[in-house]
Amino acid sequence: MDYASYLSEMYQLTIRRYEYAALAMDGEDTALQLEAVRKQEQTVLAAEDALLEQEEFAPLAYLFAVCECNAFERHAVAMLLFWELRPECADANDSLCGTQAVTPRLLKLTYEGDCTDDDMYLSLRGDSVFGSVFLDTQTGRGPDRPLALAPRILRMILTGTAESRVDEAVRGLAMIGSPIPKAQRIDCHFSLADVVLPGDSMDALRFACRRVQNARKVYEEWGMGRLVTYGRGVSLLFSGPPGTGKTMAAQAVAKELSMELYRINLPAVVSKYIGETEQNLSEIFESAKGRSVVLFFDEADVLFGKRTEIKDANDKYSNMEAAYLLQRIEEYEGVTIMATNYRRNFDEAFNRRLTSVIDFPFPDAASRKEIWRRSIPRELYSDGLDTDALAKRFELSGSAIKNSVLYAAFLAASDGADALSMELLLEGIREEFKKQGKVIGREEMEV
């Protein structure tokens, strides 16, 4: 059976599962439907085995094998693919009519087999092997959250080809889902539209994303790879005071590129023992090689700070660690983001070897007004809310503004209010100043 016939069989199998579930919900005899499902399932499984024996790239069968997908996970992929191709599958009389998306609840309903809620949710977690390979960035929680196939995986399944060189795709996909050592996976809830930066910085951020997206065209299709045999990755340095949106921007870049974001746990990386820091870094970059991930080094000056004059053995080995890290970043063909509050601590020679250095300045009044506007949900606006006055009166960072809004929202909920007032927002601002060690009286908070 060729790949196209295999997809067709899987599609038909999903329709039968769907019909079987609808009949079962109506209390009808499902014995014949169930027998048809089981027979067709055997055909699909046999086709998978046959495709894996062939030399040509048959991505879906390959992905099932390399991820060791169980029967429920194979069913989940089939249902998601089914929904992508024919969302109008349910007719007006169908018990499942009106379903707008594939959800964990619908997957369990249409699955013929034993699968506990715990087993199902473990499979559908974003940091599971299955979830990180097959599922798009997830939003929401619970049995009714919408699920979707990752766009890159969907294209591979439908076209039967890898997006880049097959050998690289195979190596990368084989590692997807395995944890990156000494790193934490971060869910990316922000997009580039959420980031507030001056024009030059925002342009640099967007261009960095386009550089990643067009790398294959420039290096392979246009042949520019012959000029750049070393350092094809994208390395960014985000520099600015605390609370100016560096972590948010890292999430936005990862989301724009449909990549996972991993924040490196620096205390676990840096070691007092000679050679151990380099070994830890090597493990991180080797685990990330070939994968669709962004490595995020927050407070990166801990590792990338200025190399010092050698006065003792500790200085010598510290410089060696910085040099080794610089070498690994240049060798890495993926995306690396470093964030620092103290750009002056960085070695200038190191800065020159980065793809881009992007400034995150403390927001001016115009930027603060935009952050206030984006932070307050439209449905919580009330008469008399003056974000322009708040922006001009209080010099707050972006994170402090968001924290103020959140504090005010909890105050509103506690008071039984259904909107945010200036008084509540001012209380939120007072709380932020208090956290900064600034005690401000209510008379000083007047706008």
Side-chain angles (χ1 to χ4, degrees):
M1 182 181 292
D2 61 16
Y3 185 64
S5 300
Y6 162 61
L7 287 184
S8 177
E9 284 287 340
M10 174 170 282
Y11 185 78
Q12 293 299 323
L13 172 62
T14 310
I15 292 176
R16 289 187 181 278
R17 282 194 187 279
Y18 189 87
E19 293 172 343
Y20 164 74
L23 289 171
M25 284 182 64
D26 289 339
E28 296 188 24
D29 186 359
T30 59
L32 292 177
Q33 287 285 337
L34 178 56
E35 185 63 25
V37 166
R38 288 176 174 168
K39 284 183 178 179
Q40 193 153 8
E41 186 174 41
Q42 293 305 312
T43 302
V44 171
L45 292 175
E48 287 177 12
D49 292 338
L51 286 171
L52 289 173
E53 293 174 359
Q54 299 176 13
E55 294 183 0
E56 65 185 29
F57 186 72
L60 188 51
Y62 165 76
L63 290 171
F64 282 165
V66 79
C67 297
E68 299 181 350
C69 292
N70 58 37
F72 171 77
E73 291 166 349
R74 290 198 301 269
H75 166 63
V77 172
M79 196 70 185
L80 289 166
L81 182 60
F82 175 56
W83 225 252
E84 290 281 355
L85 297 178
R86 194 182 174 193
E88 71 282 4
C89 58
D91 61 40
N93 297 318
D94 200 318
S95 299
L96 300 177
C97 180
T99 302
Q100 300 299 312
V102 176
T103 63
R105 191 189 303 277
L106 181 60
L107 288 178
K108 188 162 187 184
L109 179 67
T110 53
Y111 177 59
E112 190 274 307
D114 294 326
C115 184
T116 67
D117 286 346
D118 287 344
D119 291 338
M120 179 174 65
Y121 293 135
L122 283 175
S123 287
L124 300 179
R125 281 169 55 106
D127 57 356
S128 69
V129 174
F130 175 80
S132 60
V133 173
F134 287 98
L135 299 183
D136 195 6
T137 302
Q138 298 183 50
T139 57
R141 296 176 179 271
D144 293 312
R145 74 178 188 272
L147 301 171
L149 285 174
R152 184 168 64 102
I153 296 300
L154 178 61
R155 287 193 296 269
M156 288 174 64
I157 291 171
L158 295 180
T159 62
T161 58
E163 284 195 313
S164 59
R165 291 190 296 272
V166 172
D167 58 335
E168 289 185 0
V170 170
R171 287 201 305 270
L173 288 169
M175 296 182 68
I176 284 179
S178 60
I180 290 180
K182 298 172 177 61
Q184 176 190 9
R185 184 177 180 273
I186 305 297
D187 290 332
C188 299
H189 301 296
F190 299 106
S191 66
L192 290 179
D194 297 312
V195 180
V196 178
L197 282 174
D200 290 348
S201 295
M202 200 67 217
D203 289 344
L205 197 63
R206 291 194 181 98
F207 182 75
C209 293
R210 290 197 293 269
R211 180 165 178 152
V212 176
Q213 292 163 337
N214 292 314
R216 184 186 176 196
K217 175 186 287 188
V218 172
Y219 289 132
E220 297 180 21
E221 295 179 16
W222 291 1
M224 298 296 289
R226 60 186 174 80
L227 303 178
V228 185
T229 58
Y230 187 77
R232 295 188 184 183
V234 169
S235 53
L236 308 175
L237 177 63
F238 293 171
S239 173
T244 50
K246 297 184 292 294
T247 301
M248 172 191 279
Q251 292 186 40
V253 167
K255 187 169 185 177
E256 178 74 11
L257 299 174
S258 299
M259 292 183 174
E260 293 178 301
L261 179 68
Y262 281 88
R263 180 164 53 199
I264 308 303
N265 182 8
L266 291 182
V269 171
V270 179
S271 172
K272 64 181 180 180
Y273 298 106
I274 294 173
E276 195 165 293
T277 300
E278 291 93 326
Q279 181 180 339
N280 292 337
L281 290 168
S282 178
E283 290 177 1
I284 290 170
F285 282 101
E286 286 300 317
S287 296
K289 186 184 295 183
R291 294 175 58 174
S292 186
V293 301
V294 175
L295 298 180
F296 180 45
F297 293 82
D298 200 4
E299 299 182 3
D301 39 312
V302 173
L303 280 170
F304 299 84
K306 286 183 179 179
R307 285 170 283 191
T308 60
E309 179 184 352
I310 297 176
K311 297 179 180 178
D312 56 30
N314 288 335
D315 292 335
K316 176 182 177 182
Y317 288 113
S318 178
N319 289 348
M320 288 172 60
E321 290 171 358
Y324 177 79
L325 188 50
L326 182 57
Q327 173 194 335
R328 290 309 305 249
I329 285 179
E330 287 192 307
E331 291 175 351
Y332 182 53
E333 295 195 359
V335 180
T336 307
I337 297 176
M338 292 149 282
T340 180
N341 301 333
Y342 306 101
R343 182 176 171 181
R344 63 182 180 274
N345 288 352
F346 274 68
D347 191 320
E348 283 303 315
F350 176 76
N351 287 345
R352 288 195 300 270
R353 294 161 78 176
L354 296 170
T355 303
S356 183
V357 177
I358 301 176
D359 289 324
F360 285 70
F362 195 89
D364 58 14
S367 296
R368 293 196 295 271
K369 180 181 178 181
E370 183 63 17
I371 297 170
W372 277 110
R373 186 186 68 81
R374 297 188 189 189
S375 299
I376 302 174
R378 183 170 299 177
E379 58 270 22
L380 293 184
Y381 266 83
S382 63
D383 294 339
L385 210 58
D386 190 348
T387 55
D388 189 24
L390 293 174
K392 291 177 180 177
R393 174 69 177 84
F394 302 106
E395 295 185 0
L396 295 169
S397 68
S399 64
I401 290 173
K402 291 171 186 175
N403 288 341
S404 299
V405 173
L406 188 62
Y407 188 86
F410 277 107
L411 284 178
S414 300
D415 294 344
D418 56 4
L420 299 182
S421 65
M422 286 291 283
E423 291 75 12
L424 293 176
L425 289 175
L426 289 171
E427 283 298 317
I429 293 171
R430 282 188 76 240
E431 185 66 20
E432 278 303 300
F433 280 130
K434 189 187 302 183
K435 285 159 56 177
Q436 298 172 19
K438 302 174 184 177
V439 180
I440 299 180
R442 282 183 168 79
E443 66 279 359
E444 299 177 73
M445 297 296 295
E446 295 181 3
V447 177

